[in-house]
């Protein structure tokens, strides 16, 4: 999951989008009891996974996570596959496939990598404080993996096979944009009717209630490159063409450019120029974070940038702006909203409210899964937690049973449909 700050803005919407039916059925007591019985095993799984450091560049740690998750999927009866990512450090995706007796094709996704560097457990150890369980990556996204594995265990114990195919995909590079797995996730999702993605939901006090996410922005990276002319900064500054000054000019005149392209957001976040103090810099560059909530956002923003940067402050300089696409936007749909309302009804069986969030400024693999619009995609079926990508990441263990219940009941209900 991308940095957690995007969720903070989203949760301002929670109170307005939360509903609890006045007339609600009671819980399925068999599934509720199974979820309660599974809670200690879920905590054991979380501890085992957190003790494996698996940052996005940690090949050895990612291999350990892949070995663990593949073994668990095999024990559940899946046919498994390891697939090398096409870019990045070359870690493996783990894909598990179950063949059933029903009609629908269902898919579950979560990621094995975290944002943390090797050695993080020395300063951020796994530990328990009351209902909160701490550890790097425990919410984002090892909690999501645990929900998938233990929900499937409950369903296996029940003998449930009401699906044509059920696919589980765990990727090792979500935190770096799924650069080597995103295309495969998109292709695989297109072969399914429903995709449930298992990023975390935010825990209290960050959010008043649990939620599901119906949309999230796409991402891209903007790069501005300026070429001027070097000269002696003391003896002949006028002979130079200062790329740093021109870059500064361009950053100022493009800082609000996304306002003219609805559905886009651009923030310049990095810059470099020059190599030594006494030389007029010939080269300067800047990097920008782009967020998108429309499918053609990159094209619109690129056109606006190309037009605006034609106007220079420093003569005889060249300016080039490029935008590299990342994750596609995950755009809320009527079908996704309807599926979210089914989830609300299931949560209501436990007398718990569930918020549906239409859009946030972050990005998840739901964007790849939803790219073509063929599958119905809903995000954030993981365990409630907070401080993702920060110090003292934790989950609220009181949400383990509700989230297991939700996932298990969702799968059963989806399997019933034609």
């Amino acid at each position: 999951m991308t940095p957690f700050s995007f969720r903070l803005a989203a949760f301002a919407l929670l109170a307005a989008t939360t509903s609890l039916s006045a007339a609600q059925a009671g819980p399925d007591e068999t599934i509720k009891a199974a979820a309660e019985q599974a809670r200690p095993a879920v905590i054991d799984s979380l501890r085992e996974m957190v003790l494996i450091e698996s940052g996005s560049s940690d090949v050895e740690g990612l291999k350990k996570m892949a070995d663990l998750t593949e073994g668990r999927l095999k024990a559940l009866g899946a046919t498994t596959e390891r697939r090398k990512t096409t870019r990045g450090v070359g870690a493996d995706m783990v894909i598990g496939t179950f063949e059933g007796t029903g009609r629908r094709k269902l898919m579950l996704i979560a990621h094995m990598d975290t944002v943390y560097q090797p050695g993080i457990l020395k300063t951020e150890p796994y530990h328990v404080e009351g209902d909160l369980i701490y550890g790097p990556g425990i919410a984002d996204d090892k909690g999501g993996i645990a929900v998938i594995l233990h929900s499937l265990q409950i369903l296996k114990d029940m003998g449930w096979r009401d699906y044509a195919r059920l696919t589980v995909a765990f990727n090792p590079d979500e935190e770096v944009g799924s650069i080597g797995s995103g295309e495969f996730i998109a292709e695989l999702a297109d072969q399914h009717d429903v995709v449930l993605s298992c990023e975390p939901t935010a825990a209290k006090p960050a959010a008043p209630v649990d939620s599901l996410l119906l949309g999230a922005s796409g991402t891209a990276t903007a790069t501005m490159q300026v070429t001027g002319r070097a000269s002696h900064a003391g003896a002949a500054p006028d002979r130079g063409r200062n790329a740093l000054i021109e870059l500064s000019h361009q950053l100022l005149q493009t800082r609000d450019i996304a306002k003219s392209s609805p559905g886009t957001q651009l923030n310049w976040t990095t810059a470099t120029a020059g190599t030594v103090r006494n030389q007029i810099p010939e080269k300067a560059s800047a990097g920008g974070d782009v967020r998108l909530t429309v499918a053609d956002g990159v094209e619109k923003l690129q056109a606006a940038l190309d037009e605006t940067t034609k106007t220079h402050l420093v003569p005889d300089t060249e300016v080039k702006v490029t935008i590299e696409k990342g994750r596609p936007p995950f755009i809320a749909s009527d079908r996704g909203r309807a599926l979210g309302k089914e989830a609300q009804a299931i949560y209501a069986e436990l007398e718990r409210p569930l918020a549906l969030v239409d859009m946030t400024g972050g990005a998840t693999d739901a964007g790849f899964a939803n790219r073509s619009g063929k599958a119905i995609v809903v995000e954030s079926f993981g365990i409630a937690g907070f401080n993702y990508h920060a110090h003292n990441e934790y989950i609220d263990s009181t949400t383990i049973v509700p989230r297991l219940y939700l996932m298990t009941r969702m799968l059963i209900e989806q399997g019933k449909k034609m």
Side-chain angles (χ1 to χ4, degrees):
M1 174 180 275
T2 50
F4 70 83
S5 58
F6 77 85
R7 291 192 174 258
L8 299 179
F11 287 121
L13 301 174
L14 291 179
T17 55
T18 304
S19 64
L20 191 60
S21 172
Q24 53 187 268
D28 182 312
E29 294 295 345
T30 299
I31 294 175
K32 182 182 177 184
E36 290 170 346
Q37 186 175 1
R39 184 178 181 275
V42 172
I43 293 173
D44 288 343
S45 293
L46 288 169
R47 182 179 185 276
E48 184 177 9
M49 288 189 285
V50 168
L51 293 179
I52 299 173
E53 294 184 349
S54 57
S56 303
S57 61
D58 188 340
V59 176
E60 184 59 33
L62 291 168
K63 181 181 182 301
K64 291 178 181 178
M65 279 297 299
D67 289 344
L68 184 154
T69 54
E70 183 180 28
R72 296 287 292 273
L73 288 170
K74 283 182 176 179
L76 289 166
T79 300
T80 63
E81 173 191 358
R82 298 275 278 263
R83 177 181 287 251
K84 288 287 183 187
T85 49
T86 57
R87 293 173 59 192
V89 298
D92 286 345
M93 289 186 70
V94 175
I95 301 100
T97 305
F98 301 82
E99 301 296 334
T101 58
R103 296 177 178 271
R104 301 197 89 197
K105 296 176 181 177
L106 312 175
M107 181 174 172
L108 307 175
I109 59 177
H111 63 91
M112 300 180 288
D113 62 320
T114 76
V115 300
Y116 301 100
Q117 296 300 306
I120 185 65
L121 286 170
K122 294 177 182 177
T123 56
E124 301 277 343
Y126 173 94
H127 65 284
V128 181
E129 295 181 11
D131 291 331
L132 305 184
I133 306 178
Y134 292 81
I138 193 166
D140 184 16
D141 187 32
K142 293 175 180 181
I145 294 173
V147 167
I148 291 174
L149 293 176
H150 289 275
S151 295
L152 293 181
Q153 183 66 62
I154 291 170
L155 291 167
K156 179 185 178 183
D157 293 343
M158 293 172 57
W160 179 76
R161 298 184 64 223
D162 192 12
Y163 51 86
R165 182 168 77 236
L166 192 155
T167 303
V168 177
F170 296 139
N171 63 319
D173 58 351
E174 191 275 346
E175 297 292 6
V176 290
S178 300
I179 56 176
S181 64
E183 287 299 319
F184 180 64
I185 290 172
E187 294 170 9
L188 198 57
D190 285 351
Q191 302 168 25
H192 293 77
D193 300 302
V194 174
V195 179
L196 306 182
S197 184
C198 295
E199 293 282 5
T201 181
K204 295 178 181 179
V209 296
D210 296 348
S211 69
L212 292 177
L213 186 60
L214 304 181
S217 77
T219 61
T221 300
T223 302
M224 181 182 290
Q225 296 176 313
V226 178
T227 302
R229 185 166 66 230
S231 66
H232 194 293
D238 292 340
R239 293 179 59 187
R241 296 294 182 264
N242 195 314
L244 174 57
I245 298 298
E246 181 62 28
L247 176 68
S248 301
H249 167 68
Q250 295 294 349
L251 294 180
L252 286 172
Q253 72 171 356
T254 60
R255 62 181 174 179
D256 294 323
I257 198 166
K259 292 180 180 179
S260 65
S261 301
T264 70
Q265 175 180 294
L266 168 63
N267 285 295
W268 297 110
T269 53
T270 63
T272 60
T275 55
V276 294
R277 175 191 55 78
N278 58 349
Q279 182 186 61
I280 298 298
E282 181 178 25
K283 301 286 186 181
S285 64
D289 179 88
V290 177
R291 302 286 160 151
L292 310 155
T293 58
V294 291
D296 60 349
V298 166
E299 290 74 19
K300 289 180 178 179
L301 190 58
Q302 182 73 67
L305 286 164
D306 288 345
E307 183 62 30
T308 300
T309 55
K310 288 179 181 178
T311 303
H312 294 194
L313 177 66
V314 179
D316 304 324
T317 53
E318 296 180 4
V319 179
K320 182 179 181 181
V321 181
T322 58
I323 303 177
E324 182 181 2
K325 291 183 179 180
R327 284 193 185 87
F330 171 35
I331 300 172
S333 67
D334 290 341
R335 294 192 305 159
R337 194 167 288 106
L339 191 62
K341 289 181 178 178
E342 293 181 37
Q344 283 183 320
I346 289 171
Y347 238 45
E349 295 170 1
L350 300 174
E351 299 185 355
R352 293 178 69 97
L354 183 69
L356 302 180
V357 180
D358 265 17
M359 176 59 67
T360 77
T364 79
D365 284 335
F368 283 113
N370 191 64
R371 187 171 66 183
S372 73
K374 292 181 180 179
I376 307 172
V377 182
V378 176
E379 175 63 272
S380 296
F381 281 88
I383 299 171
F386 198 57
N387 283 345
Y388 333 128
H389 299 203
H391 295 298
N392 296 318
E393 181 175 342
Y394 66 84
I395 60 143
D396 180 349
S397 64
T398 67
T399 67
I400 291 174
V401 171
R403 302 308 272 191
L404 286 179
Y405 184 89
L406 175 62
M407 174 61 81
T408 306
R409 286 276 289 110
M410 283 291 290
L411 290 172
I412 291 172
E413 291 303 314
Q414 295 312 303
K416 293 177 181 178
K417 298 181 179 181
M418 299 296 289

